[in-house]
Each structure stands twice: as C-alpha cells, then as structure tokens.
Amino acid sequence: MTTKLFGEPVRRREDARLIVGQGRYLDDIGSAALAAAFVRSPHAHARIVGIDADAALDVEGLVAIYAYEDLTGPMAEPLPVLIPHPQLTSPRTGYPLANGEVNHVGEAVVMVVATDRYIAEDACDRIVVTYEELPVVVGVDAAREAEAAVHEEIPDNVAAVHHQETGDVEAALAAAPRTLSFTQYIERSGSIPMEGRGVHARWDADDASLRVYSSTQASTSVRAAIAAKLELSVDRVEVIAPDVGGGFGMKIVHPWPEELLVPMAAIALGQEVKWSEDRREHFISSAHERQQRQEITVGYDDDGRITALDVHVWHDNGAYTPYGIIVPIVTATQLIGPYVIPAYRVKVESVYTNTVIVTPYRGAGRPQGCYAMERTLDRIADALGMDRALVRERNLIQPDQFPYDQHLTFQDGRPVIYDSGDYPGLMAKLKALVGWDDAASLRSAAEARGKLLGIGMAMYVEGTGPGPYEGGHVQVLGSGKVLVSTGLTSQGQGHETVFAQIVASELGVPIEDVEVHTGDTRRFGYAVGTFASRAAVMSGNAVALAARGVREKALRIAADVLEADPGDLEIDDGLVQVKGTPGASIPLRTIAVLSNPLRYAFDEAAKQATQFAIPGSDDKPPVAVGDAPGLEHRDYYSPIRSTFASGAHAAVVEIDPATWEIDVVTYAVVHDCGNVVNPMIVEGQVHGGVAQGVGGALYERMAYDADGQLQNASFMDFLMPFASEVPDVVIDHQQTPSPLNPLGIKGAGEAGVIPGTAAIASAIEDATGRRIASMPIAPSQLYDLMRDENAERTMASAARTTGARA
Amino acid sequence: MNLDGSAVLHADPDRVWAVITDPAVLARTIPGCESLEQVGDDQYKMQVAVGVGAIRGSYAGEVRLSDQERPSSYVMHASGAGAPGNVRATVTINLEPDGDGTTLTYSADAVVGGPVAGVGQRMITGVAKRMAGQFFTAIDAELTGTVVPIATAPSAGTAGRPSTAALSETEGHAPAGGRVFTGRVAAPSGAVDLRSLAVGAAAGGLFTALGVVIGYRLGRRR
C-alpha cells in the first residue's frame, strides 16, 4: 500500500470513537468527584450588598461555599488581560468571583461545592444575595450615547479606539468622482458548541501535584494560568483537554473563572471537584460575538473602482476585555478582503456594555468586516447600475501582484502581506458554479412559482496560521508504532487524521501505525492553541518537521547497518531499503530498537535487532556526542507571518411573499486554502462554517432586553439552523500554495462562516428590492420592511418591471 | 480571625456565671457535646460532634478558663482537633448587669487550620452562628428553667462515647475533677424562637472561634 497520504480524502480516524459514543468528554471524567455549582448574578449591573448563605447549611451533602472574601493572593486580583494593546486604553476584567459589583447577568458570585450537582444547586437556591441595582447599558448605540456607564471610571464606555490608515483618505474622498455614505448593523451570536465548558481537578497531596481536565482550546495556557493564580510551580500542574465537543473560539479564552476556582476547591478540600456547564450558563456566562454598528463612506469612480474607503465601527465588547481587542483588529484589517483600496482608514471604537463578554467566535470579526466591504460593493454596483460581480472584478488584486502588502498591522503584530492567491480565478469559478449569469431566468422561473428569487455573492481573504509557534514530537517505538504529539488541542476538527496523514507521508509508514495525541501537557508542554485557523498550518508543519528529523536519524542508523549511503535509502511502508536493491532492507521498528544501545532482549524486536547490531568501537562512547538514544525528534514551526487563504461564496434565496420566509436554495463556495491535506475534512469544515453563516444571517441573535436580560438563553428560544435550514453546499477548490511554510498550506477552519451574512443579505436585497442594512433578518422583520413605505428601495428594483411591490 | 459579639441572658451576672462555668451545664448546653471531662480546676476535655459539610466529624477539644473576675469577666482558651481540621481560640468574656438580666459580650481571636479551613468563611461563620444560637438558647433555657435538665450522672469510663443520657435528678454544681459529664448530642429540643435566634446571631462570634470544636448534628435536624 502507498504511504503517500498527503492530499488524500482519508476517512476521519477519530469518528469511529466519537460517533458511536466512545468519546471521553469532560463530564465523562471523575464520576465520583464533588460537584461545583454557581450562584450567578440575576442583574446586568448591580452592587452586591450582602450574601447570606445561612439557609444553605441545612442542605445535607453541602461541602463548601466560596465567595470573593475566600480568594487570596493572585486569586483575589482581577483576571488577566490576555492580550494587552497600546490602543486598549481602558481594559477591564472581572474577578473569579464577583468583588462587590456585577456587570452582566450570569457573572459568578458564589461557588458551592457539594456531594453532587443536584445538592450543589439546591444549596445555591438557598443562598440569598442582596443587590443594589445600577443603570444598565445594552447595545452599541446605548454604549455610544453613554447616558450610563458600565464601569463608572470609564464614563464614555470606550475601552479602546483602534485606528489604522493606509493613505490620505480625506483628500482621496474629496477627489473621488462619486461617494456613498451609509450605516449598517450586525447582531450578536455565539459559538454555541454542543459541549459547554467544563473543568475537573484532582490534587495529589502526597505528590503535591494538580491534574486538571478542561474543555479548552488551549491546555498549555490554562496550565500556566492555573500555576500563576494558585501560586504553584508549573511543573506541578498538568492540564489535559479530553475530547472536546466543539469550541468555535470561545474556549480559547483562559483562564475562565471556573478553570481557577475548581482547582482551588480541589486543593482546599483535598478531593476531586468537577463542574460542567449547563446550557443556560453557557448562554449567560461564556462569550458572544459579532455585534457592530458600521458607518461607511466610500469614494469610487464611474467604472466602480474604489478610490477611498473610510470605516467607523462601534464594536460591542461586552462587560470586560480579557481577550483584548483581537476582534476589532481582525475586523479592521480583514475588512478590505481581496480588493485594491488605494486609501483606507478604519477606526474601531470598542465599547463596554452590561452583557456577556465578546471574544472570538469562528470568523472572529471577519464576518463583520466582510459584511461591511461586500455590502459597500453592492451599493456601488446599485448606484452605477452595474453587475455586482463586475464591480468586484474591477477592484480585485491581480495574481501578478503577490506578495501584496495592504500596509496594515495584523492581530499578531505582523504586517498584512497577502502571500499568494488568485482572486479573479475564484470569481470565475464562482460565477460558473452558481450560474451567476443565469440569475434573470432563475428569477422569472421563481416568479412563475410565486416566489421572489435573489442572488448574492461575497468574497473574503482570511489571515490564517498566526504564530508565534507550534511544536511536534514524533517517536518510533520498537513495536513499530509511531507516536505523534503536538500541544494544541482538538475540538473535533480531525487532527488525529490529518497529522497522521502528514507524518505517515513524511516518514513513509502506514497510517495505521501512527497514533496522534493533542492538547495534553504531559506529552507536549509548549503550545499556543487552536484558533485563527492555525492548527493545520502550525502543528501540521511542526509534526512534518519532527517527522523529517526522525527520518534523517533513521536513515543514518540504517546506512550504518546496511553499509549504504543515506542518500541511497528510502522508507516505504515502514521498511528502510536501498533504492533499487530488493532485499537490502531493515524495518523502521528495528532501527528504533537499534537506536538505543541498551537492548535487553525483552521482546522479539530486541532479539531481531541484535542480529543487525554492529560491534561498537572501543574508543567511542556507545552514544556519540550530540546524539541521543531513541528514534524520536522534536521540532517547532514558527512562521514569519500569517498566510492568507481566500474564497468566494454565492447564495440564491427564494422568498415566499406571503410568509416572507427566506429559503436558501443554492449555496456555492469556491475555496482556496493552499495545498489541501485532506479534501474531505476541508469540505467538512466548509459545510460547518456555511451552517453557522446561515445561522448568523437568518436565525441566530442574542435577544437582550433593555435590562440586560438574555431572553432566549435556551435551545427552545435561540434558533440554530437544523439540517433542514442548511442548504446543500456546492464546492469548488482552487489551490494556490503558501510560499511561507514547508507544506504550502493555509488555514481552513473559519473560512466557511465569513461571507454568509454578506452574501445572503445581498441575495435578499436582490430578491426584494429593499435595502438590507441590518443582519440577521427574520421573516417578521422582512415583512415589516416590505410594508414600510419609507424603506429604501434599490435602484435595481426601480429599474425592474417585476419583483416585490409594497 | 477576630470576632466580637454579645448576648442578652435572663438572669443576673452571678447566676449566669454559675451556669456558664458549670461543667454539668456546659456538657448539656454546648451543641454537639458528647462528653465533657473535668481534668483540673477550670480545665475541661471535650468530645464533640459536628455535622455540617466538610466540617462534619468528631473532635477532641480542650477548654481552660483563666483570668477569672467573678462575676464580671474571664478568658476562655479553647482548642480542638479532629479529622477535618483544628482550631485554637482565645475568647475574652464580660458579663454586665442589664436590668434583671445580663449582657454577655465577648471578643474572640481564632486560628482555624487543616482541610476544614478550606470550606469557605461562610461555612464556618454560618455553622458558628447556628451553634452560638443553640448554645445561648440552651443557656437561657437553663437560666429561665424552661427545660428539664438532662441527667449528668457522673459516669466512670473514658470520654467520647455519644450518649443520650437517661433522665434523673441531679444538682447543678460542678463535681470534682476527673468526673465525666455526658452531653446531649441531639440538637436542643423545640424550635428556636425569634428572640433567641437573634441572640444566637448576635453571639455568632464566640462560636465562630469554636465553630469546628463544638457543634451539633445539623444534618440530623431534618
């Protein structure tokens, strides 16, 4: 069999385990552990006047009750601002347990530990917290108007003003033949993983060591945070991410209060303690994203070429800023997508509201940026009466312009320089794939069926695989098994498959022999984490480099044994052989045994190895200077800067003019993430992303009322698309390899979600002739819009004889 | 931790003093007291049971009274240790006439150690308030004669065996050293009325210090 698996649609090796219920998720761990539960704030903004736990003492099985006063040392200090930034002038973070004030519904005030979760919840119910309510700020506009302040020492509610500029926008706008100005909104949604957060901690008093399992995207960083906050030496702390049922960004935040409090209790009580988040807790105490107000002014010429773009965004960052201004930076820098923008100015004001914190959710600010840019292009096309595709084509960066410097600074502090791409190629494939030029006939066919049909498109460029690094370790055992480990975590992406494909291909072994481990600090201590579409780029290249190191050592040892030149050797199917000399070969597993001069003949492998063993020379040490026993290698990949993937989506919607239900009938994706390790997994990523894109465009919103109460904090009320709402996705691939990394790959994790809102808004606008300036949009909102005499009509609709009438 | 508080008791300081320093009375009024053994003048060994959460367990404790200024003040030195942890406390107690009654004020300085120290302040203070309430309710009941004293028939043998002693007559004064006084392990009978709860709350500090030394089987009250 071939061992060249890179690029093959290998079936996901983890699925056998995950699909049949053999996964080991957080709540599957520590069935005997004490259970933690939390008393959380019912108010969006309030002072804590008192906490009376007396009635809870009657609950049989109660073990401990913790409030802020029980926190000591670093635990009593605010949680860290993970990513400080000079423009984040007023950062704020909460405390593990509220210190006198709560700033959003769901903020943890008291932790109860009991013999099981039911009892812990019963005790929570009996704890009386007295509050003095304070004025509440909900939504970007309220934060902007600043009639009330979330943090009283920040009266304007502004946490940060992020600003970047690539040319003299004022002058360019003044000189522009045409300009457009408009304001639009995008709502809150959230990652909503199937499995919420969860933490299990066990303290070994005799060994003075702590083992923590957390449903996290960054186990090594959680480890460092726990060590710092609980004043433990990092070598005394192990953090393991078990099977994780989805993260989509929110699990990159760390440390969550619970990730510190549960270990704290485990140490204080000398017993295992576990907490696993329930669904309501997830809605009101984890993280959301997306809400922005966007004020856009664009200058362009009669051909539709953009000459200047001025964007002012108000970004709702929720009650605190533990993750800095990553989302605003990503919106600001990724907004311009695949286009040439001669003069670009962006200002993002990140404002506080009394709502759940905002941290990256799949796309991480890109869907908003794409929505701003693509809707701008739609408006230019409409104003000029031009084809929306043509306007885009006229502004695209051309293939011969790479590397293309956008003269912006990315989230990793590195320049935004597009490494490679073919954007006109994407557009050509997309138009063919969706039948863009047949839209008119599709429209009339739909009208014959009493439906309003519209088509829309959106393009994006996604910076993926930011550094600083990831590492990989590859070890060949005497049994022939190949152990691969990397520090970043998995949330179901298929890492066990793609990393095994890469190592099998690099090393020349059957994939069945390869065993991949991720997110376990016992196996690999240095890692950054799984986010920003970086796992394949970073750890993929790291394990490839580690495998190459193992291969080199294996060939060196084999060369001695086979008395050949390493250059004449090859490894295939786990066998090292002299090229073109059948029979002159040695199994890789035997080399693994030979690599260790200490060879007690425990097993057959060792016995076999002895027959290959070359008598060592008496004047040399058994292990040469600079060499090491064992057939293993550890290596790291650190990129100079991010690599930029790209894509183009198109949506065809059909709207029922009676119910105004919006049905996405066709969804086309052209996707370019450089060299593809496993096309089946990439397509799965695209499908999942599109599903979340459709959800964000048509269904999902966080329905906060004016008092900061989240009114749809359950799966009864929060609409996520089912398979019945997610359209069939047709995909075409384009591969422009990245010149920046050994494997030439780019990230694919987030891409699918980015253009959804923009493309679907464009399609609805095309179908209805009404300007769509606020997303997501529900049938009832569309109904109101259609009935609103003052609703803005598109020029295209005015020109059209058919279509929706008021 | 430092804790201060006061309680109003319905008897003059002399009677309060007599009762509150009487081992037989203490044995039956200290919540959770399984036994109390006089090991010297104003010095006692106790075996007590506590029933709340991680505080649950049996503790061996010692209480010594010093600096006695009858009937106005004395200092209580308490210490105790059990599987869940240990505590050491020094409590200064003052008695002042207050109409027909007495106002008892105290100032406690306690050190709590061991795993039990990890259960959170609200657990310890909460339990202490409960026990303080129980203790002063029981003491006040002794003073006002609203309860039939439980027998403290001197029993030989070692301390520490829980016992709901048989009823029999006894006089209230303290027997000589080495005697063992059996306590009532169950919580004092009857619901605590509002006034005495208030007293208990006010007096919380005292037994916060002793919170893990003496207690009562909260868990069995329901």
Side-chain angles (χ1 to χ4, degrees):
Chain A
M1 61 159 276
T2 175
T3 51
K4 296 298 172 228
L5 293 167
F6 190 103
E8 295 297 313
V10 176
R11 283 185 162 280
R12 288 163 45 101
R13 311 172 81 210
E14 44 273 271
D15 285 353
R17 182 176 84 255
L18 299 180
I19 290 174
V20 303
Q22 306 265 307
R24 184 163 175 263
Y25 296 90
L26 193 283
D27 207 31
D28 297 321
I29 295 164
S31 56
L34 297 175
F38 292 85
V39 176
R40 299 183 181 275
S41 172
H43 302 296
H45 196 194
R47 279 193 196 85
I48 297 171
V49 177
I51 301 173
D52 180 359
D54 203 44
L57 301 177
D58 292 332
V59 178
E60 176 70 11
L62 172 68
V63 174
I65 298 172
Y66 304 98
Y68 176 77
E69 297 70 33
D70 296 301
L71 306 180
T72 58
M75 280 294 280
E77 296 163 13
L79 293 162
V81 178
L82 282 180
I83 310 166
H85 190 286
Q87 292 171 336
L88 178 57
T89 49
S90 304
R92 288 294 181 279
T93 52
Y95 295 81
L97 291 168
N99 177 17
E101 183 178 335
V102 288
N103 287 298
H104 68 83
V105 170
E107 192 164 357
V109 178
V110 178
M111 176 171 71
V112 169
V113 178
T115 48
D116 68 39
R117 180 65 175 265
Y118 300 97
I119 291 168
E121 298 277 358
D122 288 350
C124 285
D125 291 346
R126 293 177 175 222
I127 293 172
V128 180
V129 182
T130 315
Y131 297 93
E132 175 192 339
E133 291 188 58
L134 297 168
V136 173
V137 178
V138 175
V140 278
D141 288 337
R144 193 162 145 266
E145 287 148 20
E147 283 172 16
V150 174
H151 304 285
E152 61 183 342
E153 66 282 13
I154 309 173
D156 62 359
N157 290 316
V158 177
V161 179
H162 177 64
H163 172 262
Q164 296 202 45
E165 202 163 349
T166 66
D168 188 344
V169 170
E170 297 291 346
L173 280 176
R178 294 161 166 269
T179 60
L180 268 172
S181 291
F182 61 98
T183 298
Q184 62 180 18
Y185 290 87
I186 184 166
E187 276 258 14
R188 271 193 178 212
S189 185
S191 299
I192 322 293
M194 204 182 304
E195 180 198 27
R197 296 173 294 147
V199 187
H200 172 276
R202 187 174 72 216
W203 172 250
D204 182 332
D206 301 330
D207 188 52
S209 66
L210 179 72
R211 178 181 296 178
V212 177
Y213 292 89
S214 181
S215 186
T216 180
Q217 291 174 224
S219 52
T220 48
S221 300
V222 171
R223 176 198 199 192
I226 289 172
K229 281 291 190 176
L230 298 183
E231 299 179 285
L232 299 166
S233 173
V234 75
D235 68 291
R236 302 280 81 194
V237 182
E238 300 168 345
V239 176
I240 299 145
D243 283 326
V244 172
F248 306 109
M250 52 80 38
K251 291 178 184 176
I252 190 60
V253 178
H254 59 273
W256 286 102
E258 298 85 353
E259 285 177 320
L260 301 173
L261 293 165
V262 169
M264 180 194 82
I267 293 170
L269 300 172
Q271 298 184 73
E272 286 180 61
V273 181
K274 178 168 77 176
W275 167 74
S276 67
E277 182 178 64
D278 67 33
R279 188 52 59 181
R280 178 172 165 79
E281 281 183 300
H282 183 79
F283 272 105
I284 65 172
S285 64
S286 62
H288 301 159
E289 217 227 84
R290 303 278 198 257
Q291 187 176 51
Q292 288 183 357
R293 169 196 171 102
Q294 305 175 332
E295 293 183 0
I296 299 165
T297 300
V298 62
Y300 59 100
D301 64 20
D302 297 345
D303 299 329
R305 286 192 179 75
I306 292 175
T307 57
L309 182 63
D310 190 15
V311 180
H312 190 171
V313 174
W314 278 270
H315 169 84
D316 169 9
N317 63 224
Y320 303 110
T321 53
Y323 212 70
I325 54 171
I326 290 299
V327 176
I329 293 172
V330 171
T331 295
T333 53
Q334 299 268 267
L335 185 146
I336 51 180
Y339 307 108
V340 174
I341 310 293
Y344 173 53
R345 177 172 66 187
V346 60
K347 181 179 177 187
V348 185
E349 299 194 45
S350 190
V351 294
Y352 287 108
T353 58
N354 291 111
T355 56
V356 171
I357 60 170
V358 166
T359 64
Y361 153 43
R362 195 180 198 173
R366 294 177 185 84
Q368 300 95 308
C370 181
Y371 175 61
M373 185 73 236
E374 296 294 317
R375 301 297 291 140
T376 300
L377 289 158
D378 287 342
R379 285 178 185 254
I380 291 172
D382 191 54
L384 294 173
M386 276 172 61
D387 174 18
R388 287 164 290 167
L390 179 59
V391 169
R392 286 171 169 79
E393 285 165 341
R394 287 188 174 163
N395 287 283
L396 287 175
I397 295 163
Q398 297 303 304
D400 59 7
Q401 291 179 275
F402 291 92
Y404 188 85
D405 189 346
Q406 288 282 25
H407 301 289
L408 295 166
T409 303
F410 199 39
Q411 68 182 78
D412 56 3
R414 300 291 178 117
V416 177
I417 300 174
Y418 296 171
D419 50 332
S420 65
D422 178 0
Y423 307 145
L426 292 173
M427 174 61 87
K429 283 174 177 281
L430 182 71
K431 287 165 72 177
L433 192 62
V434 76
W436 182 262
D437 297 327
D438 309 330
S441 59
L442 288 174
R443 176 191 305 280
S444 39
E447 284 190 7
R449 287 180 283 110
K451 295 288 184 72
L452 301 174
L453 181 142
I455 187 167
M457 65 165 53
M459 302 180 76
Y460 67 90
V461 170
E462 181 196 2
T464 69
Y469 68 85
E470 285 297 338
H473 178 259
V474 174
Q475 178 179 24
V476 182
L477 303 181
S479 63
K481 179 193 273 188
V482 179
L483 294 178
V484 178
S485 67
T486 185
L488 62 60
T489 60
S490 301
Q491 299 86 48
Q493 295 91 336
H495 296 162
E496 288 173 48
T497 304
V498 292
F499 297 154
Q501 281 180 261
I502 291 169
V503 170
S505 299
E506 292 287 340
L507 203 50
V509 299
I511 194 167
E512 294 73 18
D513 292 348
V514 183
E515 185 177 300
V516 175
H517 297 273
T518 64
D520 184 340
T521 63
R522 296 170 301 178
R523 290 180 176 272
F524 209 97
Y526 289 93
V528 180
T530 301
F531 61 96
S533 303
R534 68 190 298 280
V537 179
M538 301 302 300
S539 283
N541 280 288
V543 298
L545 293 172
R548 290 175 189 182
V550 169
R551 185 174 190 279
E552 184 188 342
K553 181 169 185 177
L555 294 185
R556 172 161 54 82
I557 295 169
D560 289 350
V561 174
L562 300 173
E563 291 165 334
D565 183 286
D568 300 335
L569 299 176
E570 63 182 5
I571 309 179
D572 186 36
D573 209 10
L575 200 65
V576 187
Q577 57 201 16
V578 182
K579 290 174 193 163
T581 315
S585 67
I586 178 173
L588 197 60
R589 64 172 189 279
T590 307
I591 294 174
V593 177
L594 286 170
S595 69
N596 181 355
L598 177 64
R599 278 197 302 281
Y600 296 129
F602 295 125
D603 52 22
E604 277 311 308
K607 286 179 195 148
Q608 288 170 15
T610 53
Q611 70 201 6
F612 289 96
I614 297 166
S617 124
D618 294 343
D619 50 20
K620 284 193 200 144
V623 177
V625 175
D627 201 355
L631 185 50
E632 63 181 318
H633 188 71
R634 180 182 306 269
D635 212 333
Y636 292 85
Y637 171 62
S638 181
I640 179 113
R641 70 181 76 92
S642 296
T643 175
F644 290 81
S646 56
H649 291 202
V652 178
V653 301
E654 272 189 20
I655 297 169
D656 182 330
T659 64
W660 298 101
E661 185 177 0
I662 303 158
D663 184 14
V664 181
V665 293
T666 307
Y667 201 99
V669 174
V670 183
H671 186 262
D672 188 343
C673 59
N675 292 337
V676 172
V677 183
N678 183 324
M680 190 189 297
I681 283 176
V682 167
E683 292 202 359
Q685 286 283 5
V686 170
H687 288 149
V690 167
Q692 285 177 310
V694 169
L698 298 177
Y699 306 106
E700 298 173 359
R701 68 182 66 232
M702 293 296 170
Y704 274 105
D705 67 12
D707 299 319
Q709 298 292 335
L710 187 56
Q711 298 178 308
N712 61 339
S714 80
F715 282 162
M716 287 293 289
D717 303 304
F718 180 84
L719 297 182
M720 291 207 298
F722 298 158
S724 50
E725 283 73 44
V726 178
D728 291 336
V729 182
V730 289
I731 302 178
D732 193 1
H733 289 281
Q734 173 176 286
Q735 293 195 20
T736 51
S738 171
L740 299 182
N741 62 72
L743 299 179
I745 57 183
K746 302 178 178 184
E750 295 167 280
V753 78
I754 296 169
T757 293
I760 291 171
S762 184
I764 296 169
E765 186 170 286
D766 184 47
T768 61
R770 301 302 190 283
R771 190 74 68 197
I772 305 299
S774 183
M775 291 291 280
I777 186 164
S780 56
Q781 293 168 305
L782 184 55
Y783 173 86
D784 294 339
L785 187 68
M786 299 308 294
R787 297 270 173 300
D788 179 357
E789 285 304 323
N790 305 320
E792 184 187 353
R793 314 284 185 99
T794 61
M795 306 272 196
S797 70
R800 223 175 267 149
T801 55
T802 61
R805 294 162 193 80
Chain B
M1 39 184 147
N2 292 302
L3 305 130
D4 304 295
S6 68
V8 177
L9 299 167
H10 297 79
D12 61 53
D14 272 313
R15 280 204 62 221
V16 171
W17 181 283
V19 165
I20 211 166
T21 58
D22 175 347
V25 176
L26 289 176
R28 59 178 181 254
T29 51
I30 290 172
C33 180
E34 292 171 336
S35 74
L36 180 143
E37 178 186 5
Q38 183 158 24
V39 293
D41 291 350
D42 306 314
Q43 200 161 346
Y44 309 96
K45 273 190 175 172
M46 292 190 304
Q47 194 67 26
V48 298
V50 182
V52 184
I55 297 175
R56 184 188 305 277
S58 185
Y59 297 79
E62 264 189 41
V63 175
R64 180 170 57 83
L65 307 184
S66 73
D67 308 287
Q68 300 189 44
E69 306 276 344
R70 180 166 189 147
S72 61
S73 76
Y74 65 96
V75 175
M76 177 167 69
H77 309 269
S79 67
N86 55 73
V87 68
R88 192 178 68 258
T90 305
V91 190
T92 305
I93 291 139
N94 289 290
L95 304 178
E96 283 188 14
D98 179 359
D100 300 343
T102 300
T103 298
L104 179 152
T105 59
Y106 56 84
S107 174
D109 178 11
V111 180
V112 180
V116 76
V119 302
Q121 297 176 27
R122 279 175 179 77
M123 282 287 288
I124 294 174
T125 56
V127 171
K129 282 184 185 180
R130 290 294 185 84
M131 295 186 300
Q134 296 292 346
F135 176 71
F136 284 114
T137 303
I139 287 291
D140 212 44
E142 294 275 342
L143 293 167
T144 56
T146 57
V147 292
V148 179
I150 283 177
T152 56
S155 64
T158 57
R161 299 284 308 286
S163 161
T164 48
L167 284 167
S168 74
E169 287 309 315
T170 180
E171 60 277 16
H173 60 73
R179 294 287 187 74
V180 175
F181 303 86
T182 310
R184 85 180 76 188
V185 170
S189 57
V192 177
D193 64 66
L194 291 173
R195 176 192 56 77
S196 56
L197 262 185
V199 170
L206 170 59
F207 281 83
T208 297
L210 303 175
V212 293
V213 179
I214 50 184
Y216 66 105
R217 296 191 187 282
L218 177 64
R220 294 188 180 178
R221 287 173 68 237
R222 283 149 67 239

